Amino acid sequence: MTAAAYLVRGDDAILLSEAVRNLVHELVGQGNEADAALAVEDLDLETGDDHSVGALMDACLTPPFFTDRRIVIGRNAGALNTDEASRVVQYLDDPLDTTTLILVGGGGAVPPKLVTAVKSKGELRDAALPRQSRERTTWLVDRIKHSGMKLDAAAGNRLGQHLGEDLSRLPGILEVLEAAYGKGATVTEDDLEPFLGEAGGAAPWDLTDALDRGDAAAALEHLHRQLEAGDRHPLVVMATLHRHYQAMLRLDGANVRTDAEAAQVLGLKGSTFPAKKAMSQARKLGSQKVRRAIALLAEADLDLRGAKAWPDELVMEILVARLCQLPRV
């Protein structure tokens, strides 16, 4: 049964658009572009004025024309203020049974009462990327599987490594592969290579995981991908490293025994996985090496701010190389 309302949320514009497109196809039927053209009205709420909300309400209350159902899309729902959100909530108290309202995140945080109203009348759909490395791998595999394309193991691994944290590029690459080889074709690593383009940025945890392993080659590769493809300033990368080693420093000597106790010391809520990793690595390094890591970070921070007349990239490379020595000695 079609719901009266949906809220699609996420922090990536490409994935948000794709999720909305897939939802519209689900509602009108895949391949029914003609019906979609008649049924869908697409509005942008980012202007935040009464006119845009009024247009949204008028569209929701208009009966369908030549179709069984009317689909109204309101983009940048986070731009709605309290009063504007209240108007949408009031409509959802008694929605038109021939209208489906799709609210799309963006423009700020969606007012909580609007989220609650949509949840009571329909569905919340999450288009955000998972944050943990294992979950991102699962997400990548699932998306490839549901695309209809078949990538052999080598091609799948190559694609995942190449995209890094820029997984929002995946839908475009899959569409190009389908156009080149046909839907359902099996793609090898050699078939894939010409369509990859520039390597994506590495996720912050890719770098810290490599540091924890003492894998200098991988750590330097992830560093360069963060600085270049990821377009991160060295001080932003430094902030990530500070948080990583500072967590170990706070746990050092804290006499914690469980993941939950470690999470409490670090002030983390929700998953205890980050606290578990920090506690495990702190024990592996020991007090002296954790403090050495903090000293190396402090020295590099000063160097980035002008203590040494070195290029920022060189400062970061030396820091990463030194941090990688700690688990190995």
Side-chain angles (χ1 to χ4, degrees):
M1 181 178 178
T2 303
Y6 296 84
L7 173 59
V8 184
R9 297 182 293 184
D11 50 13
D12 186 284
I14 296 174
L15 294 179
L16 269 179
S17 295
E18 185 199 25
V20 172
R21 183 170 66 251
N22 290 341
L23 177 55
V24 170
H25 287 163
E26 178 184 324
L27 295 173
V28 301
Q30 185 76 27
N32 293 336
E33 285 78 10
D35 288 346
L38 291 172
V40 176
E41 183 160 356
D42 201 333
L43 303 170
D44 191 342
L45 305 175
E46 195 168 19
T47 55
D49 57 22
D50 185 70
H51 174 72
S52 64
V53 179
L56 182 73
M57 294 297 91
D58 288 344
C60 288
L61 293 169
T62 301
F65 186 65
F66 289 135
T67 60
D68 295 331
R69 188 156 208 87
R70 185 172 176 82
I71 300 171
V72 178
I73 302 173
R75 299 185 187 271
N76 292 303
L80 296 174
N81 61 34
T82 302
D83 292 339
E84 292 162 347
S86 296
R87 294 183 62 183
V88 183
V89 170
Q90 185 176 7
Y91 162 76
L92 290 175
D93 286 338
D94 185 22
L96 196 65
D97 58 8
T98 54
T99 294
T100 296
L101 173 61
I102 301 176
L103 294 171
V104 186
V110 179
K113 64 180 180 181
L114 182 53
V115 175
T116 301
V118 173
K119 188 174 181 180
S120 68
K121 293 293 183 177
E123 296 181 21
L124 305 180
R125 297 210 174 181
D126 190 358
L129 288 170
R131 297 190 176 276
Q132 298 299 329
S133 179
R134 185 177 301 175
E135 294 172 352
R136 289 165 75 90
T137 299
T138 301
W139 183 93
L140 181 68
V141 171
D142 287 344
R143 295 300 287 269
I144 293 173
K145 180 179 177 180
H146 288 99
S147 73
M149 299 301 295
K150 300 173 184 177
L151 276 65
D152 66 18
N157 289 335
R158 175 75 178 96
L159 180 58
Q161 293 170 0
H162 182 82
L163 291 177
E165 65 176 354
D166 295 344
L167 292 180
S168 62
R169 293 169 54 192
L170 177 64
I173 290 177
L174 291 175
E175 288 180 10
V176 171
L177 290 174
E178 181 179 335
Y181 299 115
K183 192 173 183 65
T186 298
V187 178
T188 67
E189 186 174 3
D190 288 341
D191 296 331
L192 173 68
E193 198 67 37
F195 301 97
L196 289 178
E198 184 179 350
W205 52 84
D206 288 335
L207 173 57
T208 54
D209 285 350
L211 292 173
D212 290 347
R213 297 193 306 270
D215 187 340
L220 287 169
E221 178 186 351
H222 294 315
L223 171 67
H224 287 292
R225 289 178 67 172
Q226 288 195 25
L227 295 176
E228 296 164 12
D231 198 26
R232 288 186 175 90
H233 191 279
L235 289 175
V236 175
V237 179
M238 282 290 294
T240 298
L241 299 180
H242 271 293
R243 287 194 297 270
H244 183 65
Y245 287 98
Q246 194 174 57
M248 298 181 206
L249 185 65
R250 292 176 64 184
L251 292 174
D252 183 43
N255 196 29
V256 294
R257 298 180 180 272
T258 67
D259 302 348
E261 290 174 348
Q264 186 174 10
V265 170
L266 297 177
L268 300 177
K269 297 181 180 179
S271 172
T272 60
F273 181 71
K276 178 181 179 181
K277 288 181 66 175
M279 181 171 62
S280 174
Q281 188 64 14
R283 289 172 177 171
K284 179 180 177 181
L285 292 179
S287 298
Q288 185 175 355
K289 290 182 180 179
V290 170
R291 292 170 186 170
R292 172 61 176 159
I294 297 297
L296 289 172
L297 288 166
E299 181 183 351
D301 188 76
L302 291 173
D303 291 343
L304 287 174
R305 299 174 192 275
K308 287 190 179 75
W310 290 355
D312 289 351
E313 184 175 342
L314 178 60
V315 172
M316 296 302 296
E317 288 173 342
I318 291 174
L319 171 64
V320 165
R322 287 173 173 172
L323 290 172
C324 280
Q325 290 179 354
L326 297 177
R328 303 201 303 261
V329 297

